[in-house]
Amino acid sequence: MLKTALRNVLAHKARLLMTVLAIGLGVAFVSGTLVFADSTAAAHRAAASKNFADIAVTVTAKESPTGGPADQQDGVLDDALVRRLAAVPGVAAVRPTADGRAVLNAADGTPLRVRTGANLAAAYVPGADGKDRRHPLTQGHAPAGGEEIVLDAGTAAAGRLRIGDPVTLATDGPAMTKRLVGIATTGDTRVTAGGTLVLFEKATAQRLFATPGHYTGIDLSAAPGTDEYELSHRVTAVLPADRAEATTGSAQAAQQAVYVGTLTRGYAKTPMVFAGVALFIGSFLIINTFTMLVTRRTREIALLRAIGAGRGQVVRTVLAEAFLVGLAASAVGFLLGLGIAAVLPDVLSTGGTALPHGQLEIGPRPVLAALLVGVGVTVLAAWLPSRRAARIAPVEALRAAQQPPTGRPRVRAAAGLALLALAVGVLIPLTRAKDASEENLRTAMLGCGALVVALVVLAPLLAVPAIRLTGRLTRRFGVTGHLARQNALRDPRRTAATAATLLISTALVTGLAVIGNSTGQALDRQAAAGLGADYVVSTGSTMTGIDPAAVQRVAGTPGVRTASAVTDSTVVVGGRVRDLSGVAPDALDDVMRLDFVSGSAKELGPGRIAVSGSVARENGVSAGGRIKARMGRSQDFATYTVVGVYRDNPTAGDVLGARGEVQQHAFLSDSVQRILVRTDAGAVSRGTEDRLRTAVGNNPLLKVQDRPALVREAAGTMGDLLTLMYGLLAIGAVIAALGLANTLAMSVAERTREVGVLRAIGMDRAGIRRMIRLEAVTVAAFGTALGLAGGLFGAWAVGALANGAVEQYALALPWGTLLLVCVVSVGIGALAAAVPARRAAALSPLEAVAEA
């Protein structure tokens, strides 16, 4: 029986190759992602270890009981402590540091790689030889004064900055211009993973990030033979109690590796989604392939039963064949996975985030995963066909022709309808949900999964009426169209199983496309809703404000009609924290489009506010009513008069107040957070934008955006979803093409005599090819139609969750994408039929008719 299984595997090499490729795609994504994750983690650890190789212990100020760092001005980390630490036994060298954050502009004046926690700044600290070992220079010289800086090579290249160029940068306030005098290298993984690094002269760094004569940290190198943990204990003994602490270099390297790994951990999710989809779709191809094999070998299996083979032996034979196919798929998939792991760092190193390169780490986990996934999925998919093979009676060996499987349509119909009822029962209540909570998302995933499985189960029952309906189109091709339809109807289960691959991929892509398009349009509308201004100048940090003097400069910019400052803060109303915008009432109509249900904003002033419709409904107030609220950092509630109620508006926020009163209680009371700019006759141009950037000092912490830029920024989150959508479409297309080609090839082999008869009675080779192609297109169209129906229904039901998370969400069909899905599906059918159709047309009529 084992020899029989091996012979069957090798007897049909083309079928073996297509099945192996289908399941190998899923294995490749699984193993490749695991190798990529292990290799990236190892590269992070290696880079972090190298960065801290010369640091045994670092001394930093402890956090105060209030949560902030200990006061550095009264001598915690100062030169006196540096001298005491240098005298500790085992300390070879002491390197004080002054680190912080700095954002800089590229050569074209646009902010460069603004990322939280990754825009680093530090002091260039030379040793006895005049060089900073942590930041070795490759060009130029070290910063010698407060007007000079050094950049790391990656930052300089990304910003197209060269030695001698003026560089505009900001730490946490107004912009300043320094001259670039040197290029250095760094092993800091926060920088190599897409951040920036600016190096200042030590005194300048102290002034910017600490206070003169003080530091943010002190790095200690250990003398040869000194253990860093023992040195840490010695250093702790001389530190001011409860004021400073010591951390080993290895602990810092581990923390940094974990931090950078956290930033890049999400990159492994998308390949894993591809892997899951490929395996799920590929399993249907395997089930279909082995079902057809069992049907084709009915007489052979029956003969084996007749000469004494038991049911268990038949099952084991089919599973052994599946095991061998799965083993081959695991090997092919693992090799493909190594290629995926090798190119993923370059593919994912976009948007300013560079992943570290290093040797591929091939541990036992990806190897075992490849074997488990490849063999496990294949054997599980072949289990049902093997059980069906075991039920073949010996008497089947006496039949002259193979019979299509009968099945139990009533049982299938009952199971399919039950799953469909479950899916509808789960998804319909979600249409009334307005909260995209984790529980609702899990429920939506369960409902969508049940919907897809229900369609797959019901597909054989739906195939007959659907294909008969499409027969009106194929009838236009005459006899070949009629025969193509009859061939598709001959075995509805086979047709449905073949179409299942397209059904699943089409449903996934359709659902994601509809939700993505609807969400993107909602974000577009939301970004510009209520905005009457032509430009918005804003800060990207909640802890950074805009100097009020910049408002006057913006107002005086040529072409600017109105420049209205907005102070953004928070307000507690009805037990909930709400967004609060402080505005100037006299300029409000010029820069915002507010639709007041009652009252107006003209009466805004001390003790008087306007609220959005949702706040008014939740608190039961209207214009003229009174409400208790607590603004910003104020500790006490006050009673405010509501002077107006406006429809919810993202530009205005939840509550409007007079800017003077809001700014009095704001966390940053000496600055504003937005400037809404209205230009003369709506003049929007690159020149106007450049003048506005100049007016705010070209500060890289500030953004100058017109309405289209706001829309693009809001819709930017759709990029990953679009990538995922088209990736799923590509995977589904490849596997569907393999499945269709596999099914058609085996179907042609089964119908050899039939094709011979058709050739003998006068059908030419072109007619044979047309018949096979029309059959493939019919099956592809059926799977696509079911997938479109399922995807649209799922998107409609799940879209309510997006409606709760994204304001102004409304279902919007992406007609272009849906048309693309249909065209790709029909193309897949025609492409998959190419080789089987040519092979069928090449059959000799006499040899085909003579085949037993």
Side-chain angles (χ1 to χ4, degrees):
M1 298 298 288
L2 183 59
K3 290 181 180 178
T4 301
L6 184 59
R7 184 204 66 187
N8 289 331
V9 169
L10 298 177
H12 306 283
K13 297 182 178 61
R15 170 179 57 80
L16 170 66
L17 178 62
M18 286 186 287
T19 308
V20 165
L21 284 177
I23 200 67
L25 283 175
V27 174
F29 280 110
V30 171
S31 60
T33 301
L34 292 176
V35 171
F36 162 72
D38 292 344
S39 304
T40 303
H44 285 154
R45 290 193 297 269
S49 297
K50 181 179 180 181
N51 191 38
F52 289 93
D54 61 340
I55 299 176
V57 177
T58 295
V59 176
T60 55
K62 276 188 176 181
E63 288 190 354
S64 65
T66 59
D71 186 4
Q72 298 167 342
Q73 297 192 31
D74 51 33
V76 180
L77 304 181
D78 57 3
D79 290 324
L81 180 59
V82 170
R83 290 190 292 271
R84 289 202 304 273
L85 293 174
V88 173
V91 173
V94 180
R95 183 183 184 278
T97 61
D99 301 335
R101 172 179 180 263
V103 180
L104 65 154
N105 284 336
D108 61 0
T110 59
L112 179 65
R113 291 180 179 177
V114 182
R115 293 182 58 202
T116 302
N119 300 115
L120 308 181
Y124 185 91
V125 183
D129 58 355
K131 299 179 180 179
D132 188 338
R133 290 182 299 171
R134 294 197 65 185
H135 305 113
L137 292 171
T138 58
Q139 297 180 47
H141 61 82
E147 300 305 313
E148 296 181 346
I149 61 169
V150 168
L151 300 178
D152 77 282
T155 301
R160 295 184 176 86
L161 297 167
R162 295 176 296 180
I163 299 293
D165 285 351
V167 180
T168 302
L169 56 92
T171 55
D172 192 15
M176 45 190 161
T177 301
K178 309 290 184 183
R179 188 165 63 91
L180 178 61
V181 298
I183 305 295
T185 60
T186 179
D188 195 319
T189 51
R190 293 171 295 179
V191 179
T192 57
T196 60
L197 175 64
V198 182
L199 299 173
F200 296 90
E201 179 261 342
K202 186 174 74 171
T204 303
Q206 287 179 308
R207 175 175 54 82
L208 290 173
F209 309 121
T211 53
H214 297 83
Y215 308 99
T216 59
I218 304 173
D219 296 331
L220 308 176
S221 299
T226 303
D227 180 74
E228 65 175 13
Y229 294 99
E230 177 61 28
L231 183 61
S232 176
H233 291 301
R234 296 176 188 171
V235 168
T236 301
V238 303
L239 294 178
D242 301 327
R243 300 287 306 285
E245 59 184 351
T247 308
T248 62
S250 58
Q252 294 179 79
Q255 291 172 1
Q256 191 171 109
V258 170
Y259 169 75
V260 178
T262 302
L263 290 178
T264 57
R265 185 181 301 159
Y267 293 126
K269 293 181 180 179
T270 299
M272 276 299 186
V273 171
F274 290 163
V277 172
L279 291 171
F280 186 54
I281 299 176
S283 64
F284 285 91
L285 188 153
I286 298 170
I287 292 174
N288 198 29
T289 299
F290 278 92
T291 299
M292 294 182 68
L293 286 175
V294 169
T295 303
R296 189 177 179 188
R297 299 206 303 258
T298 297
R299 296 182 66 190
E300 176 187 329
I301 295 171
L303 184 59
L304 290 173
R305 293 291 314 281
I307 62 176
R311 290 188 174 185
Q313 287 179 301
V314 173
V315 171
R316 287 193 293 273
T317 301
V318 178
L319 292 182
E321 188 175 344
F323 176 82
L324 294 175
V325 173
L327 199 61
S330 298
V332 171
F334 186 76
L335 293 177
L336 291 175
L338 293 181
I340 290 175
V343 302
L344 271 179
D346 292 324
V347 172
L348 299 175
S349 294
T350 56
T353 301
L355 297 178
H357 287 266
Q359 293 183 346
L360 293 180
E361 294 287 325
I362 306 176
R365 188 174 65 148
V367 176
L368 292 176
L371 288 172
L372 180 63
V373 170
V375 175
V377 170
T378 309
V379 171
L380 285 175
W383 182 76
L384 284 176
S386 72
R387 299 284 294 175
R388 190 175 298 119
R391 291 197 297 267
I392 296 175
V395 72
E396 295 289 338
L398 303 177
R399 292 184 182 270
Q402 298 164 358
Q403 302 295 323
T406 57
R408 289 176 285 183
R410 292 183 179 179
V411 175
R412 176 181 290 272
L417 290 175
L419 284 170
L420 186 61
L422 172 64
V424 172
V426 169
L427 292 175
I428 289 298
L430 290 179
T431 60
R432 297 187 295 272
K434 297 297 182 182
D435 179 18
S437 63
E438 185 175 348
E439 180 180 356
N440 283 339
L441 290 176
R442 284 197 301 265
T443 303
M445 291 178 64
L446 172 65
C448 291
L451 177 63
V452 170
V453 175
L455 291 177
V456 170
V457 173
L458 291 172
L461 305 178
L462 299 173
V464 174
I467 293 176
R468 282 179 178 169
L469 183 64
T470 59
R472 297 179 179 179
L473 298 176
T474 57
R475 190 184 305 164
R476 297 175 179 272
F477 294 90
V479 175
T480 55
H482 176 74
L483 290 174
R485 186 187 68 167
Q486 292 304 114
N487 288 334
L489 290 173
R490 178 177 299 182
D491 187 352
R493 288 205 305 177
R494 177 189 300 178
T495 298
T498 306
T501 54
L502 271 177
L503 187 160
I504 296 168
S505 60
T506 302
L508 285 171
V509 171
T510 300
L512 286 176
V514 172
I515 293 176
N517 185 65
S518 302
T519 304
Q521 291 192 16
L523 290 174
D524 291 353
R525 291 190 295 269
Q526 180 175 322
L531 182 64
D534 299 306
Y535 285 94
V536 176
V537 181
S538 61
T539 172
S541 171
T542 58
M543 297 307 295
T544 303
I546 304 175
D547 184 0
V551 181
Q552 301 301 322
R553 294 196 299 270
V554 169
T557 300
V560 172
R561 186 175 76 186
T562 305
S564 180
V566 180
T567 299
D568 291 324
S569 186
T570 58
V571 59
V572 179
V573 180
R576 293 184 58 184
V577 179
R578 297 285 193 167
D579 293 330
L580 171 65
S581 299
V583 297
D586 55 342
L588 196 59
D589 291 340
D590 211 22
V591 295
M592 285 189 189
R593 295 172 181 169
L594 296 176
D595 184 6
F596 275 87
V597 177
S598 59
S600 70
K602 296 180 180 179
E603 302 300 323
L604 287 177
R608 298 189 297 275
I609 61 175
V611 299
S612 64
S614 59
V615 173
R617 286 190 299 271
E618 290 180 12
N619 294 274
V621 296
S622 59
R626 300 173 70 83
I627 190 172
K628 287 188 175 182
R630 178 166 59 85
M631 288 187 179
R633 54 189 172 84
S634 175
Q635 301 297 317
D636 302 318
F637 280 87
T639 301
Y640 293 87
T641 300
V642 177
V643 297
V645 177
Y646 54 90
R647 298 188 188 278
D648 289 9
N649 187 308
T651 302
D654 300 313
V655 179
L656 283 175
R659 186 163 69 87
E661 183 177 23
V662 173
Q663 194 158 352
Q664 180 183 353
H665 300 291
F667 295 97
L668 296 175
S669 58
D670 57 347
S671 61
V672 298
Q673 281 65 52
R674 284 183 291 165
I675 306 174
L676 306 183
V677 180
R678 185 73 178 269
T679 60
D680 293 331
V684 177
S685 65
R686 181 57 188 267
T688 304
E689 181 178 335
D690 291 340
R691 288 192 293 271
L692 291 175
R693 289 187 183 278
T694 301
V696 295
N698 288 316
N699 193 325
L701 295 176
L702 303 182
K703 296 184 291 185
V704 179
Q705 298 170 295
D706 57 15
R707 293 166 64 88
L710 290 170
V711 170
R712 288 193 300 270
E713 182 181 61
T717 55
M718 292 294 103
D720 293 338
L721 184 60
L722 291 175
T723 300
L724 179 64
M725 181 185 70
Y726 289 115
L728 293 177
L729 178 61
I731 290 175
V734 170
I735 298 179
L738 293 173
L740 276 170
N742 205 8
T743 302
L744 289 172
M746 297 179 72
S747 179
V748 167
E750 288 180 0
R751 303 201 305 263
T752 300
R753 294 186 66 191
E754 177 186 321
V755 173
V757 171
L758 290 174
R759 292 280 285 118
I761 63 177
M763 183 175 285
D764 58 9
R765 292 184 175 181
I768 296 294
R769 289 195 294 268
R770 190 182 306 116
M771 179 184 70
I772 301 298
R773 290 195 187 102
L774 286 174
E775 181 182 350
V777 170
T778 300
V779 173
F782 170 65
T784 302
L786 275 186
L788 284 171
L792 290 173
F793 178 78
W796 169 75
V798 177
L801 301 182
N803 191 20
V806 180
E807 295 180 10
Q808 304 186 30
Y809 179 92
L811 195 68
L813 298 184
W815 296 107
T817 302
L818 298 181
L819 178 62
L820 174 64
V821 170
C822 295
V823 171
V824 168
S825 299
V826 174
I828 287 171
L831 180 64
V835 174
R838 189 164 57 248
R839 186 170 299 169
L843 289 173
S844 170
L846 293 179
E847 293 178 0
V849 172
E851 183 173 291

